């Protein structure tokens, strides 16, 4: 007989909420943003600047490489492009 894991039977262990303690499946994704600061394209990781690029394409490629490393470790990540205001 296979033992039943009681923690995985609860809603919180399957769908964890950020900030709760004692959860076994808490996966908070790493968040990347690409934005133009008026001179250069910035890459931010969890709201902290990590790279600067002259071209938007290079910034996006940098984010994709970083996300692939995160995915390879089995963790989640997401990114967004911040619209440039005219």
């Amino acid at each position: 007989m296979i033992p039943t894991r009681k923690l995985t039977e609860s809603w919180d262990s399957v769908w964890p909420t950020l900030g709760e303690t004692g959860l076994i499946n808490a996966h908070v994704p790493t968040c990347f943003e690409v934005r133009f600061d008026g001179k250069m394209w910035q890459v931010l990781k969890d709201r902290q600047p990590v790279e600067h690029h002259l071209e938007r394409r290079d910034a996006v490629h940098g984010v994709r490489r970083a996300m692939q490393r995160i995915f390879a470790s089995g963790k989640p990540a997401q990114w967004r492009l911040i619209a440039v205001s005219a």
Side-chain angles (χ1 to χ4, degrees):
M1 179 173 208
I2 299 174
T4 304
R5 292 183 359 166
K6 292 181 182 178
L7 288 176
T8 58
E9 294 174 352
S10 70
W11 178 263
D12 280 343
S13 65
V14 178
W15 301 103
T17 305
L18 180 62
E20 290 187 63
T21 59
L23 300 177
I24 60 171
N25 293 322
H27 295 293
V28 179
T30 300
C31 295
F32 290 95
E33 294 179 356
V34 175
R35 66 175 61 187
F36 189 65
D37 68 3
K39 297 179 184 177
M40 299 186 78
W41 288 91
Q42 291 183 335
V43 175
L44 292 87
K45 178 182 176 185
D46 295 329
R47 298 188 177 176
Q48 299 298 316
V50 292
E51 294 180 358
H52 291 84
H53 298 274
L54 293 174
E55 300 287 330
R56 181 179 87 166
R57 173 193 50 167
D58 296 334
V60 171
H61 285 293
V63 167
R64 288 181 179 172
R65 285 190 301 272
M67 288 179 68
Q68 287 300 322
R69 288 190 298 273
I70 292 169
F71 294 153
S73 70
K75 296 180 181 176
Q78 62 188 14
W79 80 282
R80 66 183 183 155
L81 179 65
I82 305 299
V84 178
S85 8

Coordinates of all heavy atoms in Angstrom, one line a residue:
M1 N 0.8 -1.2 0.0 CA 0.0 0.0 0.0 C 0.9 1.3 0.0 O 1.8 1.3 0.8 CB -0.9 0.0 1.2 CG -1.8 1.1 1.3 SD -2.9 0.9 2.7 CE -4.3 1.8 2.1
I2 N 0.6 2.2 -0.9 CA 1.3 3.5 -1.0 C 0.8 4.5 0.0 O -0.4 4.7 0.1 CB 1.2 4.0 -2.4 CG1 1.8 3.0 -3.4 CG2 1.9 5.4 -2.5 CD1 1.6 3.4 -4.8
P3 N 1.7 5.0 0.9 CA 1.2 6.0 1.9 C 0.7 7.3 1.2 O 1.2 7.7 0.2 CB 2.4 6.3 2.7 CG 3.6 5.9 1.9 CD 3.1 4.8 1.0
T4 N -0.4 7.8 1.7 CA -1.0 9.1 1.2 C -0.3 10.3 1.8 O -0.2 10.3 3.1 CB -2.5 9.1 1.5 OG1 -3.1 8.0 0.9 CG2 -3.1 10.4 0.8
R5 N 0.1 11.2 1.0 CA 0.7 12.4 1.6 C -0.4 13.4 1.9 O -1.0 13.9 1.0 CB 1.7 13.1 0.6 CG 2.9 12.2 0.4 CD 4.0 12.8 -0.5 NE 3.6 14.1 -1.1 CZ 4.5 14.8 -1.7 NH1 5.8 14.5 -1.8 NH2 4.2 16.0 -2.2
K6 N -0.6 13.7 3.2 CA -1.7 14.5 3.6 C -1.5 16.0 3.1 O -2.5 16.6 2.8 CB -1.8 14.5 5.1 CG -2.3 13.2 5.6 CD -2.4 13.2 7.1 CE -2.8 11.8 7.6 NZ -2.9 11.8 9.0
L7 N -0.3 16.5 3.0 CA -0.1 17.8 2.6 C -0.5 18.1 1.1 O -1.1 19.1 0.8 CB 1.4 18.3 2.7 CG 1.9 18.4 4.1 CD1 3.4 18.7 4.2 CD2 1.1 19.6 4.8
T8 N -0.3 17.1 0.3 CA -0.7 17.3 -1.1 C -2.2 17.2 -1.4 O -2.7 17.5 -2.4 CB 0.0 16.3 -2.1 OG1 -0.3 15.0 -1.7 CG2 1.5 16.6 -2.0
E9 N -2.9 16.7 -0.4 CA -4.4 16.6 -0.5 C -5.1 18.0 -0.2 O -6.2 18.1 -0.5 CB -4.9 15.6 0.4 CG -4.4 14.2 0.1 CD -4.9 13.1 1.1 OE1 -5.4 13.5 2.1 OE2 -4.7 12.0 0.8
S10 N -4.3 18.9 0.4 CA -5.0 20.2 0.8 C -4.8 21.2 -0.4 O -3.9 21.1 -1.2 CB -4.3 20.8 2.0 OG -3.0 21.2 1.8
W11 N -5.7 22.1 -0.4 CA -5.7 23.1 -1.5 C -4.5 23.9 -1.5 O -3.9 24.2 -2.5 CB -7.0 24.0 -1.3 CG -7.0 25.1 -2.3 CD1 -6.6 26.4 -2.2 CD2 -7.5 25.0 -3.6 NE1 -6.8 27.1 -3.3 CE2 -7.4 26.3 -4.2 CE3 -8.1 24.0 -4.4 CZ2 -7.8 26.6 -5.5 CZ3 -8.5 24.3 -5.7 CH2 -8.3 25.5 -6.2
D12 N -4.0 24.3 -0.3 CA -2.8 25.2 -0.2 C -1.5 24.6 -0.7 O -0.6 25.2 -1.2 CB -2.6 25.7 1.2 CG -3.5 26.9 1.5 OD1 -4.1 27.5 0.6 OD2 -3.7 27.2 2.7
S13 N -1.4 23.3 -0.6 CA -0.2 22.6 -1.1 C -0.2 22.5 -2.6 O 0.9 22.5 -3.2 CB 0.0 21.3 -0.4 OG -1.0 20.4 -0.9
V14 N -1.3 22.5 -3.2 CA -1.4 22.5 -4.7 C -1.4 23.9 -5.3 O -0.7 24.1 -6.3 CB -2.7 21.7 -5.1 CG1 -2.8 21.7 -6.6 CG2 -2.7 20.3 -4.6
W15 N -2.1 24.8 -4.6 CA -2.1 26.2 -5.1 C -1.7 27.1 -4.0 O -2.5 27.8 -3.3 CB -3.6 26.6 -5.5 CG -4.1 25.7 -6.6 CD1 -4.9 24.7 -6.5 CD2 -3.7 25.8 -8.0 NE1 -5.2 24.1 -7.7 CE2 -4.4 24.8 -8.6 CE3 -2.9 26.6 -8.7 CZ2 -4.3 24.5 -10.0 CZ3 -2.8 26.4 -10.1 CH2 -3.5 25.4 -10.7
P16 N -0.4 27.2 -3.8 CA 0.1 28.0 -2.6 C -0.1 29.5 -2.8 O -0.2 30.0 -4.0 CB 1.6 27.7 -2.6 CG 1.9 27.3 -4.0 CD 0.7 26.6 -4.6
T17 N -0.2 30.2 -1.8 CA -0.3 31.7 -1.8 C 1.0 32.3 -1.3 O 1.5 31.9 -0.2 CB -1.5 32.1 -0.8 OG1 -2.6 31.4 -1.3 CG2 -1.7 33.6 -0.9
L18 N 1.5 33.3 -2.0 CA 2.7 33.9 -1.6 C 2.6 34.5 -0.2 O 1.6 35.1 0.2 CB 3.0 35.1 -2.5 CG 4.3 35.9 -2.3 CD1 5.5 35.0 -2.4 CD2 4.4 37.0 -3.3
G19 N 3.6 34.2 0.6 CA 3.6 34.7 2.0 C 3.2 33.6 3.1 O 3.5 33.8 4.2
E20 N 2.5 32.6 2.6 CA 2.2 31.5 3.6 C 3.4 30.7 3.9 O 4.3 30.4 3.0 CB 1.1 30.6 3.0 CG -0.3 31.3 2.9 CD -1.4 30.4 2.5 OE1 -1.6 29.4 3.2 OE2 -1.9 30.6 1.4
T21 N 3.5 30.2 5.1 CA 4.6 29.4 5.5 C 4.3 27.9 5.5 O 3.1 27.5 5.6 CB 5.1 29.8 6.9 OG1 4.0 29.6 7.8 CG2 5.6 31.2 6.9
G22 N 5.3 27.1 5.4 CA 5.0 25.6 5.5 C 4.5 25.0 4.3 O 4.0 23.8 4.4
L23 N 4.5 25.6 3.1 CA 4.0 25.0 1.9 C 5.1 24.3 1.2 O 6.2 24.8 1.0 CB 3.4 26.1 1.0 CG 2.3 26.9 1.6 CD1 1.8 28.0 0.7 CD2 1.1 26.0 2.0
I24 N 4.7 23.1 0.7 CA 5.8 22.3 0.0 C 5.9 22.6 -1.5 O 6.9 22.3 -2.1 CB 5.5 20.8 0.2 CG1 4.1 20.4 -0.4 CG2 5.6 20.4 1.6 CD1 3.9 18.9 -0.5
N25 N 4.9 23.2 -2.1 CA 4.9 23.5 -3.5 C 4.9 25.0 -3.8 O 4.5 25.4 -4.9 CB 3.7 22.9 -4.2 CG 3.8 21.4 -4.2 OD1 4.8 20.8 -4.3 ND2 2.6 20.7 -4.0
A26 N 5.4 25.8 -2.9 CA 5.4 27.3 -3.2 C 6.4 27.6 -4.3 O 7.6 27.6 -4.1 CB 5.8 28.0 -1.9
H27 N 5.9 28.0 -5.4 CA 6.7 28.4 -6.6 C 6.4 29.8 -7.0 O 5.4 30.1 -7.6 CB 6.5 27.5 -7.8 CG 6.9 26.1 -7.5 ND1 8.2 25.7 -7.4 CD2 6.2 24.9 -7.4 CE1 8.3 24.4 -7.2 NE2 7.1 23.9 -7.2
V28 N 7.2 30.7 -6.6 CA 7.1 32.1 -6.9 C 8.0 32.4 -8.1 O 9.2 32.2 -8.0 CB 7.4 33.1 -5.8 CG1 7.2 34.5 -6.2 CG2 6.5 32.7 -4.6
P29 N 7.4 32.8 -9.3 CA 8.3 33.0 -10.4 C 9.2 34.2 -10.3 O 8.9 35.2 -9.7 CB 7.3 33.2 -11.6 CG 6.1 33.7 -10.9 CD 6.0 33.1 -9.6
T30 N 10.4 34.0 -10.9 CA 11.3 35.1 -11.1 C 10.7 36.0 -12.2 O 10.3 35.5 -13.2 CB 12.7 34.7 -11.5 OG1 13.2 33.8 -10.5 CG2 13.7 35.8 -11.7
C31 N 10.6 37.3 -11.9 CA 10.0 38.3 -12.8 C 11.1 39.1 -13.5 O 11.9 39.8 -12.8 CB 9.0 39.1 -12.1 SG 7.6 38.2 -11.5
F32 N 11.1 39.2 -14.8 CA 12.0 40.0 -15.6 C 11.2 41.1 -16.2 O 10.0 40.9 -16.6 CB 12.7 39.2 -16.6 CG 13.8 38.3 -16.1 CD1 13.4 37.0 -15.9 CD2 15.1 38.7 -15.8 CE1 14.4 36.1 -15.4 CE2 16.0 37.8 -15.4 CZ 15.7 36.5 -15.2
E33 N 11.8 42.3 -16.4 CA 11.1 43.4 -17.1 C 12.2 44.0 -18.1 O 13.4 44.0 -17.7 CB 10.6 44.5 -16.2 CG 9.5 44.1 -15.3 CD 9.1 45.2 -14.4 OE1 9.7 46.3 -14.4 OE2 8.1 45.0 -13.6
V34 N 11.8 44.3 -19.2 CA 12.6 45.0 -20.2 C 12.0 46.4 -20.4 O 10.8 46.5 -20.8 CB 12.8 44.3 -21.5 CG1 13.6 45.0 -22.5 CG2 13.4 42.9 -21.3
R35 N 12.8 47.5 -20.2 CA 12.2 48.8 -20.3 C 13.3 49.7 -20.9 O 14.5 49.5 -20.7 CB 11.6 49.3 -19.1 CG 12.7 49.6 -18.0 CD 12.1 50.2 -16.7 NE 11.0 49.4 -16.2 CZ 10.3 49.7 -15.2 NH1 10.4 50.8 -14.6 NH2 9.4 48.9 -14.7
F36 N 12.8 50.8 -21.5 CA 13.7 51.8 -22.1 C 13.8 53.0 -21.1 O 12.7 53.5 -20.8 CB 13.2 52.2 -23.5 CG 14.2 53.1 -24.2 CD1 15.4 52.6 -24.6 CD2 13.9 54.4 -24.5 CE1 16.3 53.4 -25.3 CE2 14.8 55.2 -25.2 CZ 16.0 54.7 -25.6
D37 N 15.0 53.4 -20.7 CA 15.1 54.5 -19.8 C 15.4 55.8 -20.4 O 15.7 56.8 -19.8 CB 16.2 54.2 -18.7 CG 17.6 54.1 -19.3 OD1 17.8 54.4 -20.5 OD2 18.5 53.8 -18.5
G38 N 15.2 55.9 -21.8 CA 15.5 57.1 -22.5 C 16.9 57.1 -23.2 O 17.1 57.8 -24.1
K39 N 17.8 56.2 -22.7 CA 19.1 56.1 -23.3 C 19.4 54.7 -23.7 O 20.0 54.4 -24.7 CB 20.2 56.7 -22.4 CG 20.0 58.1 -22.1 CD 21.1 58.6 -21.1 CE 20.9 60.0 -20.8 NZ 21.9 60.5 -19.8
M40 N 19.1 53.8 -22.7 CA 19.4 52.4 -22.9 C 18.3 51.5 -22.5 O 17.3 51.9 -21.8 CB 20.7 52.0 -22.1 CG 21.9 52.8 -22.4 SD 23.3 52.2 -21.5 CE 23.7 50.7 -22.4
W41 N 18.3 50.2 -23.0 CA 17.3 49.3 -22.6 C 17.8 48.6 -21.3 O 18.9 48.1 -21.2 CB 17.1 48.2 -23.7 CG 16.4 48.8 -24.8 CD1 16.9 49.4 -25.9 CD2 15.0 48.9 -25.0 NE1 15.9 49.9 -26.7 CE2 14.7 49.6 -26.2 CE3 13.9 48.5 -24.2 CZ2 13.4 49.8 -26.7 CZ3 12.6 48.7 -24.7 CH2 12.4 49.4 -25.9
Q42 N 16.9 48.6 -20.3 CA 17.3 48.0 -19.0 C 16.6 46.6 -18.9 O 15.5 46.5 -19.3 CB 16.8 48.9 -17.8 CG 17.4 50.2 -17.6 CD 16.9 50.9 -16.4 OE1 15.7 50.6 -16.0 NE2 17.7 51.7 -15.8
V43 N 17.3 45.7 -18.2 CA 16.7 44.4 -17.9 C 16.7 44.4 -16.3 O 17.7 44.6 -15.7 CB 17.6 43.3 -18.4 CG1 17.0 41.9 -17.9 CG2 17.6 43.3 -19.9
L44 N 15.5 44.2 -15.8 CA 15.3 44.2 -14.4 C 14.9 42.8 -14.0 O 14.1 42.1 -14.6 CB 14.3 45.1 -13.9 CG 14.6 46.6 -14.0 CD1 14.2 47.1 -15.4 CD2 13.9 47.4 -12.9
K45 N 15.5 42.2 -12.9 CA 15.2 40.9 -12.4 C 14.6 41.2 -11.0 O 15.3 41.7 -10.1 CB 16.4 40.0 -12.3 CG 16.1 38.7 -11.7 CD 17.4 37.9 -11.7 CE 17.1 36.5 -11.0 NZ 18.4 35.8 -10.8
D46 N 13.3 40.8 -10.8 CA 12.6 41.1 -9.5 C 12.8 42.6 -9.1 O 13.2 42.9 -8.0 CB 13.1 40.1 -8.5 CG 12.8 38.7 -8.8 OD1 11.7 38.5 -9.4 OD2 13.5 37.8 -8.4
R47 N 12.6 43.4 -10.1 CA 12.7 44.9 -9.9 C 14.0 45.5 -9.7 O 14.2 46.7 -9.3 CB 11.7 45.4 -8.9 CG 10.2 45.0 -9.2 CD 9.3 45.6 -8.3 NE 7.9 45.3 -8.7 CZ 6.9 45.7 -8.0 NH1 7.0 46.3 -6.9 NH2 5.7 45.3 -8.5
Q48 N 15.1 44.7 -9.8 CA 16.5 45.2 -9.6 C 17.2 45.2 -11.0 O 17.1 44.1 -11.6 CB 17.2 44.3 -8.6 CG 16.6 44.2 -7.2 CD 16.6 45.6 -6.6 OE1 17.6 46.3 -6.6 NE2 15.5 45.9 -5.9
P49 N 17.8 46.3 -11.4 CA 18.5 46.3 -12.6 C 19.7 45.3 -12.7 O 20.4 45.3 -11.7 CB 19.0 47.7 -12.8 CG 18.6 48.5 -11.6 CD 17.9 47.5 -10.6
V50 N 19.7 44.5 -13.7 CA 20.8 43.6 -13.8 C 21.6 43.7 -15.1 O 22.8 43.3 -15.2 CB 20.3 42.1 -13.7 CG1 19.8 41.8 -12.3 CG2 19.2 41.8 -14.8
E51 N 21.1 44.3 -16.1 CA 21.8 44.5 -17.4 C 21.3 45.8 -18.1 O 20.2 46.2 -17.9 CB 21.5 43.3 -18.4 CG 22.1 42.0 -18.0 CD 21.8 40.9 -19.0 OE1 21.1 41.2 -20.0 OE2 22.2 39.8 -18.8
H52 N 22.2 46.3 -19.0 CA 21.8 47.4 -19.8 C 22.3 47.1 -21.2 O 23.4 46.6 -21.4 CB 22.5 48.7 -19.3 CG 21.9 49.2 -18.1 ND1 22.4 48.8 -16.8 CD2 21.0 50.1 -17.8 CE1 21.7 49.4 -15.9 NE2 20.9 50.2 -16.4
H53 N 21.4 47.5 -22.2 CA 21.8 47.2 -23.6 C 21.4 48.4 -24.5 O 20.5 49.1 -24.2 CB 21.0 46.0 -24.1 CG 21.3 44.7 -23.4 ND1 22.3 43.9 -23.7 CD2 20.7 44.1 -22.3 CE1 22.3 42.8 -22.9 NE2 21.3 43.0 -22.0
L54 N 22.1 48.5 -25.6 CA 21.8 49.6 -26.5 C 20.6 49.3 -27.4 O 19.9 50.1 -27.8 CB 23.0 49.9 -27.4 CG 24.2 50.5 -26.7 CD1 25.4 50.6 -27.6 CD2 23.9 51.8 -26.1
E55 N 20.4 48.0 -27.7 CA 19.3 47.5 -28.5 C 18.3 46.7 -27.7 O 18.7 45.9 -26.9 CB 19.9 46.6 -29.7 CG 20.9 47.3 -30.5 CD 20.3 48.3 -31.5 OE1 19.1 48.1 -31.9 OE2 21.0 49.3 -31.8
R56 N 17.0 46.9 -28.1 CA 16.0 46.2 -27.4 C 16.2 44.7 -27.7 O 16.0 43.8 -26.8 CB 14.6 46.6 -27.9 CG 13.5 45.9 -27.3 CD 12.2 46.4 -27.8 NE 11.8 45.6 -28.9 CZ 10.6 45.6 -29.5 NH1 9.7 46.4 -29.0 NH2 10.4 44.9 -30.6
R57 N 16.5 44.3 -28.9 CA 16.7 42.9 -29.3 C 17.7 42.2 -28.3 O 17.5 41.1 -27.9 CB 17.2 42.8 -30.7 CG 17.6 41.5 -31.2 CD 18.3 41.6 -32.5 NE 19.3 42.6 -32.3 CZ 20.3 42.9 -33.1 NH1 20.5 42.2 -34.2 NH2 21.2 43.8 -32.8
D58 N 18.8 42.9 -28.0 CA 19.8 42.3 -27.1 C 19.3 42.1 -25.7 O 19.6 41.2 -25.1 CB 21.1 43.2 -27.1 CG 21.8 43.3 -28.5 OD1 21.6 42.3 -29.3 OD2 22.4 44.3 -28.8
A59 N 18.5 43.1 -25.3 CA 17.9 43.0 -23.9 C 17.0 41.8 -23.9 O 17.0 41.0 -22.9 CB 17.2 44.3 -23.6
V60 N 16.1 41.6 -24.9 CA 15.2 40.5 -24.9 C 15.9 39.1 -25.0 O 15.6 38.2 -24.3 CB 14.2 40.6 -26.1 CG1 13.4 39.4 -26.2 CG2 13.3 41.8 -25.8
H61 N 17.0 39.1 -25.8 CA 17.8 37.9 -25.8 C 18.5 37.6 -24.5 O 18.5 36.4 -24.1 CB 18.9 37.9 -26.9 CG 18.3 37.8 -28.3 ND1 17.8 36.6 -28.8 CD2 18.2 38.7 -29.3 CE1 17.3 36.8 -30.0 NE2 17.6 38.1 -30.4
G62 N 18.9 38.6 -23.8 CA 19.5 38.4 -22.5 C 18.5 37.8 -21.5 O 18.8 36.9 -20.7
V63 N 17.3 38.3 -21.5 CA 16.2 37.8 -20.7 C 15.9 36.3 -21.0 O 15.8 35.5 -20.1 CB 14.9 38.6 -20.8 CG1 13.7 37.9 -20.1 CG2 15.1 40.0 -20.2
R64 N 15.8 36.0 -22.3 CA 15.5 34.6 -22.7 C 16.6 33.7 -22.2 O 16.3 32.6 -21.8 CB 15.4 34.6 -24.2 CG 14.1 35.2 -24.7 CD 14.0 35.1 -26.2 NE 12.7 35.7 -26.6 CZ 12.4 35.9 -27.9 NH1 13.2 35.5 -28.8 NH2 11.3 36.4 -28.2
R65 N 17.9 34.1 -22.3 CA 19.0 33.2 -21.9 C 18.9 33.0 -20.4 O 19.0 31.9 -19.9 CB 20.3 33.8 -22.2 CG 20.7 33.7 -23.7 CD 22.2 34.1 -23.9 NE 22.4 35.5 -23.5 CZ 22.3 36.5 -24.3 NH1 21.8 36.4 -25.6 NH2 22.5 37.7 -23.9
A66 N 18.6 34.1 -19.6 CA 18.4 34.0 -18.2 C 17.3 33.1 -17.8 O 17.4 32.2 -16.9 CB 18.3 35.3 -17.5
M67 N 16.2 33.2 -18.5 CA 15.0 32.4 -18.2 C 15.3 30.9 -18.5 O 14.8 30.0 -17.8 CB 13.8 32.9 -19.0 CG 13.2 34.2 -18.5 SD 11.8 34.8 -19.4 CE 10.6 33.6 -19.0
Q68 N 16.0 30.6 -19.6 CA 16.3 29.2 -19.9 C 17.1 28.6 -18.8 O 16.9 27.4 -18.4 CB 17.1 29.1 -21.2 CG 16.2 29.3 -22.4 CD 15.1 28.3 -22.5 OE1 15.2 27.2 -22.2 NE2 13.9 28.8 -22.9
R69 N 18.1 29.4 -18.2 CA 18.8 28.8 -17.0 C 17.9 28.6 -15.9 O 18.1 27.5 -15.2 CB 19.9 29.8 -16.6 CG 21.1 29.9 -17.6 CD 22.3 30.7 -17.1 NE 22.0 32.1 -16.8 CZ 22.0 33.0 -17.7 NH1 22.4 32.8 -19.0 NH2 21.8 34.3 -17.4
I70 N 16.9 29.4 -15.6 CA 16.0 29.2 -14.5 C 15.1 28.0 -14.8 O 14.9 27.2 -13.9 CB 15.1 30.5 -14.3 CG1 16.0 31.6 -13.8 CG2 14.0 30.2 -13.4 CD1 15.4 33.0 -13.8
F71 N 14.6 27.9 -16.0 CA 13.8 26.7 -16.4 C 14.5 25.4 -16.3 O 14.0 24.4 -15.8 CB 13.2 26.9 -17.8 CG 12.3 28.0 -18.0 CD1 12.2 28.6 -19.3 CD2 11.5 28.5 -17.0 CE1 11.3 29.6 -19.5 CE2 10.6 29.5 -17.2 CZ 10.5 30.1 -18.5
A72 N 15.8 25.4 -16.6 CA 16.7 24.2 -16.5 C 16.8 23.8 -15.1 O 17.0 22.6 -14.8 CB 18.0 24.5 -17.1
S73 N 16.7 24.7 -14.1 CA 16.8 24.3 -12.7 C 15.4 23.9 -12.2 O 15.3 23.6 -11.0 CB 17.4 25.5 -11.9 OG 16.4 26.5 -11.8
G74 N 14.4 23.9 -13.0 CA 13.1 23.5 -12.6 C 12.2 24.6 -11.9 O 11.2 24.3 -11.3
K75 N 12.6 25.8 -12.1 CA 11.9 26.9 -11.4 C 11.2 27.7 -12.5 O 11.5 27.7 -13.6 CB 12.9 27.8 -10.6 CG 13.5 27.1 -9.5 CD 14.5 27.9 -8.8 CE 15.1 27.2 -7.6 NZ 16.1 27.9 -6.9
P76 N 10.1 28.5 -12.1 CA 9.3 29.3 -13.0 C 9.9 30.7 -13.2 O 10.6 31.2 -12.3 CB 8.0 29.3 -12.4 CG 8.2 29.3 -10.9 CD 9.4 28.4 -10.8
A77 N 9.6 31.3 -14.3 CA 10.0 32.6 -14.6 C 9.1 33.3 -15.6 O 8.4 32.5 -16.3 CB 11.5 32.7 -15.2
Q78 N 9.0 34.6 -15.6 CA 8.1 35.3 -16.5 C 8.8 36.6 -16.9 O 9.7 37.0 -16.2 CB 6.7 35.5 -15.9 CG 6.7 36.4 -14.7 CD 5.4 36.4 -14.0 OE1 4.5 35.6 -14.3 NE2 5.2 37.4 -13.1
W79 N 8.4 37.2 -18.0 CA 8.9 38.5 -18.3 C 7.9 39.3 -19.0 O 6.9 38.8 -19.5 CB 10.2 38.4 -19.2 CG 9.9 38.1 -20.7 CD1 9.6 36.9 -21.2 CD2 10.0 39.0 -21.7 NE1 9.4 37.0 -22.6 CE2 9.7 38.3 -22.9 CE3 10.3 40.4 -21.8 CZ2 9.7 38.9 -24.2 CZ3 10.3 41.0 -23.1 CH2 10.0 40.3 -24.2
R80 N 8.1 40.6 -19.1 CA 7.2 41.5 -19.8 C 8.0 42.7 -20.3 O 9.1 43.1 -19.8 CB 6.1 42.0 -18.9 CG 6.5 42.9 -17.7 CD 5.3 43.3 -16.9 NE 5.8 44.1 -15.8 CZ 5.0 45.0 -15.2 NH1 3.7 45.1 -15.6 NH2 5.4 45.7 -14.3
L81 N 7.6 43.2 -21.4 CA 8.2 44.4 -22.0 C 7.3 45.6 -21.6 O 6.1 45.6 -21.8 CB 8.1 44.3 -23.6 CG 8.7 45.4 -24.4 CD1 10.2 45.6 -24.1 CD2 8.4 45.2 -25.9
I82 N 8.0 46.6 -21.0 CA 7.3 47.8 -20.5 C 7.2 48.7 -21.7 O 8.2 49.1 -22.4 CB 8.1 48.5 -19.4 CG1 8.3 47.5 -18.2 CG2 7.4 49.7 -18.9 CD1 7.1 46.9 -17.6
A83 N 6.0 49.2 -22.0 CA 5.8 50.1 -23.2 C 6.5 51.4 -23.0 O 6.6 51.9 -21.9 CB 4.3 50.3 -23.3
V84 N 7.0 51.9 -24.1 CA 7.7 53.1 -24.1 C 6.7 54.2 -24.3 O 5.9 54.2 -25.3 CB 8.8 53.2 -25.2 CG1 9.5 54.5 -25.2 CG2 9.8 52.0 -25.0
S85 N 6.6 55.2 -23.4 CA 5.6 56.3 -23.7 C 6.3 57.3 -24.6 O 7.4 57.7 -24.5 CB 5.2 57.0 -22.4 OG 5.9 56.6 -21.3
A86 N 5.4 57.8 -25.5 CA 5.9 58.8 -26.5 C 5.9 60.2 -25.9 O 5.2 60.6 -25.0 CB 5.0 58.7 -27.7

